[in-house]
């Protein structure tokens, strides 16, 4: 028996189908790929680096919230939290892990051998055990290094050039970052021996340690301080700059923020460039590239900043040999 449908009923049914179809189609659309972003410090301290990472990611065609989602895990200076955070990202089955700062990729590598991982580190990736070979990393991990531990001896050299009469210097490291503290101490002690300097290694892993550090500097009669590269110190660039200026200690660190906030000198790798490269690699892996086929990149650009206002306050005159090498002189 044929069933006759009136014109009004037909139009109503057609309209309902038109509404239901796009809703169903949207429901069937695949979820956006997820990047797990792991960092040892805080978003406030690493705002510039994160912006550079997102720029590199966009250069590969991905924008957070548009065609990719980023799940952030910040350890807030607590390296002991990284293992659990990495395990959480693995449990969430993210498409790729971007592990930035040296301690983070070590935690990510321990957590998974299958999820593609992009690291950003200031250490030697081979020495750290992240990859067996820079050109052919193999496995599920590759990334970018700035090898900042090689820069620490250069910081000591710059400080020696600035205050050549000082025979005693100090190096500040974070003992919670075992690898970075050990490698940078070793390099700085070797450089001190070459320069004929007595170098004392001081430790700080919490904010409350800083007062003791500067008390020790006075007792040691140190003529200058080198601050080693470490996320904990990077996150406290302004605080350290204020302390070194208030205690009148000639100091050199890594970031421009340190010099801009009143620190005497900063010399270090362009971390923003390293993060941009890491972001680009992350996007390429989302597109289908294999970490094993992507050689580890080296961010080779270094930056040197001098604060002449601070030098004047400390009654220090910069030699032309140092001024001529500065990327920027802050007055």
């Amino acid at each position: 028996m044929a069933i006759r449908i009136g014109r009004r009923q037909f139009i109503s049914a057609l309209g309902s189908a038109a509404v239901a179809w796009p809703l169903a189609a949207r429901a069937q659309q695949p979820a956006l790929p997820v990047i797990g972003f792991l960092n040892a410090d805080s978003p406030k301290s690493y705002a510039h680096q994160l912006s550079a990472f997102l720029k590199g990611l966009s250069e590969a065609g991905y924008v957070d919230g548009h065609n990719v989602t980023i799940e952030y895990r910040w350890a807030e200076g607590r390296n002991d939290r990284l293992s659990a955070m990495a395990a959480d990202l693995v449990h969430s089955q993210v498409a790729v892990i971007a592990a930035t700062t040296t301690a983070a990729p070590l935690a990510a590598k321990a957590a998974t051998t299958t999820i593609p991982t992009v690291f950003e580190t200031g250490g030697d990736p081979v020495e750290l055990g992240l990859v067996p070979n820079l050109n052919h990393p193999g496995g599920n991990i590759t990334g970018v290094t700035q090898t900042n531990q090689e820069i620490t001896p250069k910081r000591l050299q710059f400080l020696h050039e600035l205050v050549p009469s000082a025979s005693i210097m100090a190096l500040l490291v974070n003992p919670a970052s075992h690898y970075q503290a050990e490698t940078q101490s070793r390099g700085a002690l070797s450089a001190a021996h070459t320069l004929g300097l007595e170098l004392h290694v001081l430790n700080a892993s919490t904010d409350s340690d800083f007062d003791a550090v500067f008390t020790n500097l006075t007792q040691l009669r140190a003529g200058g301080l080198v601050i080693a590269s470490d996320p904990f110190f990077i996150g406290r660039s302004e605080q350290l700059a204020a302390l070194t200026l208030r205690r009148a200690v000639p100091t050199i660190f890594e970031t421009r923020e340190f010099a801009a906030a009143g620190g005497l000198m900063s010399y270090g790798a362009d971390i923003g460039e390293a993060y941009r490269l890491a972001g680009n690699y992350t996007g390429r892996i989302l597109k289908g590239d294999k970490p094993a086929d992507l050689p580890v990149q080296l961010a080779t650009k270094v930056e040197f900043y001098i604060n002449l206002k601070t030098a004047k306050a400390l009654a220090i005159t910069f030699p032309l040999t140092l001024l001529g090498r500065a990327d920027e002189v802050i007055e």
Side-chain angles (χ1 to χ4, degrees):
M1 178 177 67
I3 298 176
R4 302 186 66 180
I5 300 176
R7 180 173 178 272
R8 184 173 297 176
Q9 290 174 301
F10 174 77
I11 293 174
S12 176
L14 184 63
S16 298
V19 171
W21 180 82
L23 289 174
R26 285 199 295 271
Q28 293 173 4
Q29 287 180 350
L32 298 180
V34 178
I35 297 169
F37 186 93
L38 184 64
N39 186 285
D41 210 82
S42 68
K44 180 181 178 181
S45 301
Y46 274 72
H48 168 66
Q49 291 90 330
L50 178 58
S51 177
F53 176 86
L54 295 175
K55 180 182 178 182
L57 189 64
S58 69
E59 290 170 354
Y62 288 92
V63 177
D64 186 20
H66 176 65
N67 57 355
V68 72
T69 298
I70 302 179
E71 286 284 338
Y72 293 99
R73 299 291 185 274
W74 301 92
E76 303 287 346
R78 291 278 306 279
N79 287 354
D80 58 311
R81 300 173 60 192
L82 288 168
S83 294
M85 289 179 168
D88 181 51
L89 291 174
V90 172
H91 179 73
S92 300
Q93 297 183 324
V94 296
V96 58
I97 295 175
T100 59
T101 63
T102 297
L106 293 173
K109 182 176 175 63
T112 179
T113 57
T114 56
I115 294 178
T117 301
V118 176
F119 62 75
E120 182 284 328
T121 176
D124 182 334
V126 175
E127 187 176 319
L128 280 165
L130 292 172
V131 295
N133 185 285
L134 296 180
N135 291 324
H136 305 284
N140 67 313
I141 188 167
T142 188
V144 186
T145 177
Q146 346 120 15
T147 57
N148 248 325
Q149 76 265 22
E150 297 178 3
I151 293 175
T152 302
K154 192 70 175 179
R155 292 189 191 125
L156 180 62
Q157 180 185 326
F158 281 172
L159 197 56
H160 177 58
E161 286 184 45
L162 183 62
V163 283
S165 60
S167 60
I168 301 173
M169 296 287 187
L171 171 71
L172 180 61
V173 301
N174 176 11
S177 301
H178 304 292
Y179 169 80
Q180 289 169 288
E182 181 183 345
T183 55
Q184 293 184 78
S185 296
R186 186 168 61 244
L189 287 167
S190 176
H193 178 74
T194 301
L195 295 169
L197 297 172
E198 181 181 333
L199 182 69
H200 296 267
V201 179
L202 307 178
N203 297 316
S205 55
T206 67
D207 292 326
S208 61
D209 293 333
F210 290 142
D211 284 339
V213 166
F214 283 91
T215 298
N216 282 341
L217 286 173
T218 302
Q219 294 173 346
L220 292 169
R221 298 183 180 179
L225 173 66
V226 177
I227 301 176
S229 300
D230 190 89
F232 174 71
F233 298 144
I234 291 174
R236 288 150 182 81
S237 291
E238 294 183 4
Q239 179 183 349
L240 287 167
L243 276 170
T244 58
L245 182 57
R246 187 165 72 245
R247 298 296 187 98
V249 180
T251 304
I252 184 167
F253 185 36
E254 172 179 5
T255 67
R256 185 189 182 279
E257 287 78 12
F258 175 77
L264 183 60
M265 292 185 289
S266 69
Y267 180 76
D270 184 349
I271 303 178
E273 176 64 7
Y275 273 72
R276 185 189 69 80
L277 293 171
N280 186 265
Y281 258 13
T282 302
R284 288 180 59 179
I285 288 172
L286 286 174
K287 283 185 172 180
D289 284 355
K290 304 298 182 185
D293 300 328
L294 296 174
V296 174
Q297 298 188 76
L298 175 62
T300 58
K301 182 182 178 183
V302 293
E303 300 172 317
F304 182 35
Y305 298 100
I306 290 172
N307 190 317
L308 282 186
K309 184 177 179 181
T310 298
K312 184 177 180 181
L314 299 180
I316 291 174
T317 301
F318 268 91
L320 292 177
T321 53
L322 282 179
L323 285 173
R325 282 181 271 180
D327 291 276
E328 180 183 352
V329 176
I330 301 169
E331 300 185 71

